[in-house]
């Protein structure tokens, strides 16, 4: 029987790639997004609605997906605090409740590694057991921390629903979409003078492969997902053809959003001072996932796209 | 960096040759998975080389006790008001006669908050002293440099020189958990090179450091006096790391007493050597 996969936020660049990858494997794809996908290919049915609105519940009710991949989350680069809370936390809550109510077999929450937060005394290679420090170090991520932890509660609330909470490192590559791509969008990259933290990122395609692997293996549990080892921000800037601008920390708030530098909320300072690096060995063991692109490939593919 | 400011300009030939033999998994950017950079190591060890060979004229004994490959935990005394002893221990391993090895120091956490110090310590593999780091590095077969006295050790006054402070016990649980051998060592000479007679507490608070050493000549810079490092035989302990505190404390005492013995013997030999009375190649390990 054809597996029905519902992808929320299907119009995101990475979500589309997941949709096409799963469709190529013979899955029937349903999608929910506020934005239209006018030329969606055959086998991909998109419902233009908000996951928090009534028609979304009806998609679950009428189509009874087997698997839900929840990718309808947003960051401070694109939305205000209220909207982030509504979409990230309330949206996640509704999606998981629908999963339970309408007999979904597996729910995959696609989250971010940044929830671990950056701090001078935080270890490199965070495991899934680590608490999410970002809730205090980076208030603009609090809604994503809450969504991640909330998704994880499905593991004990509804043991019959296989729930995979994936904490992916930054996805970067030819799509030029995602949090890190937004940070690297301009010609200049801000750095805090005297700090050069490791940045952990993976190729768009590897990230998509990992999400598909979680579906393939009917994964259940909380997993970090990463590709190649991290590289310092200075190398990332150079590798993507950007000019790094070293700003003394006290002056940083005056430069954000000016001089061709991206706007970053104050909480983001810790994230360009200290590393967030994750240990993804549990995911590799559970799925046999191997990344195909090293850090150099990722940076070149982003630069040349 | 370009032109004269290239990292390579500041890397000595001896260091370059040893870097090529260093067994760290550098990628095409010269970075290892823990963020250690080959270029930064070049400058770092070239700088340490000057202090090791010319400034402190360090004499190292028993470095063959440090395993040539695989995990090991170097445990020793802090000596002197600044952790230059750590730098010299790193140099003694990098410039070891047989194979160069790189050890990761378990650094006080405040260092990561300081600009440039944070960046350089990260690039030369001197990481915050967290149990997570220690376990991961040892499981990866690396050398760890531990001063169980912590900041208490470097912060002691000249009148308390070579008197070991209380040892923390965390290192022992990690050694048991990972099965890593402990190589005890003594660092001699640092207390004379930077004798602390007073702690400037306000200044320390201002810069976020645990203490600020003030020597009789005021500027906290070590004097160019000869130093010695004495490595003892590796110590192996059996266990899981989950033993009760009293068992762990017993093991820690064993390590501490060996370090103490190396310190006492090392000091005696160092004094004699300064008077020209001992064969120059005699170490503290019996």
């Amino acid at each position: 029987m054809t597996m029905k996969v519902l992808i929320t936020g299907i119009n995101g660049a990475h979500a589309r790639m997941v949709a096409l990858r799963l469709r190529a494997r013979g899955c029937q794809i349903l999608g929910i997004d506020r934005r239209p996908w006018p030329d969606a290919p055959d086998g991909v049915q998109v419902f233009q609605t908000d996951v928090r609105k009534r028609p979304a519940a009806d998609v679950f009710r009428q189509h009874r997906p087997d698997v839900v991949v929840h990718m309808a989350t947003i960051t401070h680069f694109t939305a205000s605090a209220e909207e982030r809370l509504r979409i990230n936390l309330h949206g996640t809550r509704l999606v998981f409740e629908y999963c339970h109510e309408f007999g979904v077999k597996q729910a995959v929450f696609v989250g971010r590694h940044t929830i671990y937060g950056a701090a001078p005394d935080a270890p490199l290679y965070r495991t899934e057991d680590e608490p999410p420090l970002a809730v205090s170090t980076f208030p603009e991520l609090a809604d994503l921390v809450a969504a991640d932890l909330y998704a994880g509660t499905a593991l004990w609330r509804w043991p019959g629903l296989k729930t995979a909470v994936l904490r992916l490192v930054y996805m970067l590559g030819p799509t030029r979409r995602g949090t890190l791509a937004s940070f690297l969008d301009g010609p200049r990259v801000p750095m805090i003078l005297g700090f050069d933290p490791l940045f952990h990122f993976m190729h768009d395609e590897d990230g998509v492969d990992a999400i598909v692997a979680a579906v393939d293996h009917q994964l259940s549990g909380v997993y970090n997902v990463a590709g190649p080892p991290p590289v310092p921000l200075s190398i990332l800037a150079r590798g993507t053809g950007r000019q790094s601008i070293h700003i003394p920390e006290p002056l940083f708030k005056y430069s954000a959003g000016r001089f061709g530098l991206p706007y970053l909320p104050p909480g983001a300072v810790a994230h360009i001072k200290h590393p967030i690096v994750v240990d993804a060995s549990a995911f590799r063991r559970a799925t046999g996932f191997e990344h195909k692109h090293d850090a150099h490939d990722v940076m070149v593919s982003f630069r040349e796209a | 960096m370009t032109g004269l400011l290239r990292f390579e300009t500041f890397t000595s030939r001896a260091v370059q040759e040893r870097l090529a033999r260093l067994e760290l998994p550098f990628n095409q950017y010269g970075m290892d998975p823990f963020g250690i950079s080959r270029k930064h190591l070049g400058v770092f060890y070239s700088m340490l080389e000057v202090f090791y060979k010319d400034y402190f004229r360090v004499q190292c004994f028993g470095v063959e006790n440090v395993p040539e490959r695989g995990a090991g935990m170097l445990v020793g005394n802090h000596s002197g008001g600044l952790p230059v002893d750590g730098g010299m221990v790193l140099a003694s391993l990098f410039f070891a006669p047989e194979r160069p090895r790189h050890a990761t120091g378990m650094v006080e956490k405040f260092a990561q908050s300081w600009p440039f110090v944070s960046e350089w310590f990260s690039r030369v593999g001197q990481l915050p002293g967290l149990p997570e780091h220690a376990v991961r590095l040892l499981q990866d077969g690396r050398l760890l440099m531990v001063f169980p006295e912590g900041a208490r050790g470097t912060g002691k006054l000249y009148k308390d020189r070579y008197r070991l402070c209380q040892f923390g016990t965390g290192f022992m649980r990690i050694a048991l958990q990972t099965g890593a051998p402990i190589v005890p060592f003594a660092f001699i000479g640092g207390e004379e090179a930077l004798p602390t007679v007073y702690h400037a507490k306000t200044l320390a608070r201002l810069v976020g450091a645990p203490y600020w050493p003030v020597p009789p000549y005021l500027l906290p810079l070590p004097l160019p006096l000869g130093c010695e490092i004495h490595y003892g035989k590796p110590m192996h302990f059996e266990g899981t790391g989950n033993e009760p505190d009293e068992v762990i404390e017993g093991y820690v005492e064993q390590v501490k007493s060996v370090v103490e013995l190396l310190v006492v013997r090392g000091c005696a030999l160092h004094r004699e050597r300064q008077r020209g009375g001992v064969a120059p190649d005699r170490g503290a390990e019996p």
Side-chain angles (χ1 to χ4, degrees), chain A residues 76 84 114 117-119 133-142 170 192 249 252-253 256 263-274 276:
Chain A
H76 58 88
R84 287 200 309 271
T114 42
L133 294 183
V135 75
S136 66
T137 59
F138 194 165
E140 290 76 12
L141 277 180
Y170 296 119
I192 306 286
E249 192 176 351
F252 186 79
K253 62 179 174 194
Y263 170 74
L264 292 174
V269 172
H271 286 221
I272 54 173
K273 271 175 77 182
H274 305 293
I276 308 175

Side-chain angles (χ1 to χ4, degrees), chain B residues 20-233:
Chain B
R21 287 166 52 207
L22 197 64
E23 290 180 11
L24 286 181
F26 292 121
N27 66 10
Q28 69 208 96
Y29 296 101
M31 299 291 307
D32 99 328
F34 287 95
I36 302 175
S37 148
R38 194 196 333 238
K39 283 182 188 168
H40 286 75
L41 281 187
V43 177
F44 179 62
Y45 279 119
S46 301
M47 193 183 70
L48 290 184
E49 186 182 23
V50 175
F51 283 94
Y52 186 75
K53 294 182 177 167
D54 302 317
Y55 195 82
F56 295 119
R57 304 172 306 281
V58 179
Q59 289 181 282
C60 180
F61 304 93
V63 72
E64 64 281 1
N65 289 317
V66 179
E68 275 205 6
R69 283 196 171 80
M73 200 187 256
L74 314 166
V75 175
N77 65 311
H78 252 320
S79 172
L82 286 176
V84 283
D85 44 6
M88 295 303 100
V89 169
L90 294 179
S92 75
L93 301 165
F94 187 75
F95 295 106
E98 295 298 318
R99 282 183 63 248
R101 283 210 74 176
H102 176 73
T104 295
M106 296 280 93
V107 182
E108 286 290 329
K109 291 167 199 158
F110 69 84
Q112 280 296 331
S113 311
W114 287 359
F116 303 106
V117 176
S118 160
E119 181 180 346
W120 270 88
F121 275 20
S122 303
R123 288 300 90 81
V124 299
Q126 305 307 309
L127 301 178
L130 299 166
E132 292 91 340
H133 283 154
V135 170
R136 198 169 281 280
L137 288 157
L138 290 172
Q139 284 173 342
D140 199 45
R142 303 201 185 206
L143 282 182
L144 213 64
M145 175 178 66
V146 182
F147 292 97
E149 296 174 281
R152 293 184 298 269
T154 34
K156 64 189 138 188
L157 297 174
Y158 186 66
K159 64 182 171 65
D160 298 320
R161 62 192 178 278
Y162 301 114
R163 205 175 295 160
L164 293 186
C165 300
Q166 189 200 335
F167 270 30
T169 55
F171 78 92
M172 180 52 75
R173 289 197 187 277
I174 290 166
L176 290 168
Q177 187 188 337
T178 56
I182 290 178
V183 181
F185 72 85
F187 190 90
I188 313 295
E191 312 268 13
E192 291 79 9
L194 182 53
T196 306
V197 290
Y198 176 72
H199 284 157
K201 295 195 178 68
T202 314
L203 197 53
R205 240 193 331 270
L206 275 177
V207 297
Y211 62 91
W212 185 278
V214 182
Y217 48 91
L218 299 178
L219 264 186
L221 296 172
L223 303 169
L225 298 178
C227 293
E228 296 184 6
I229 301 171
H230 298 264
Y231 288 102
K233 294 255 181 303

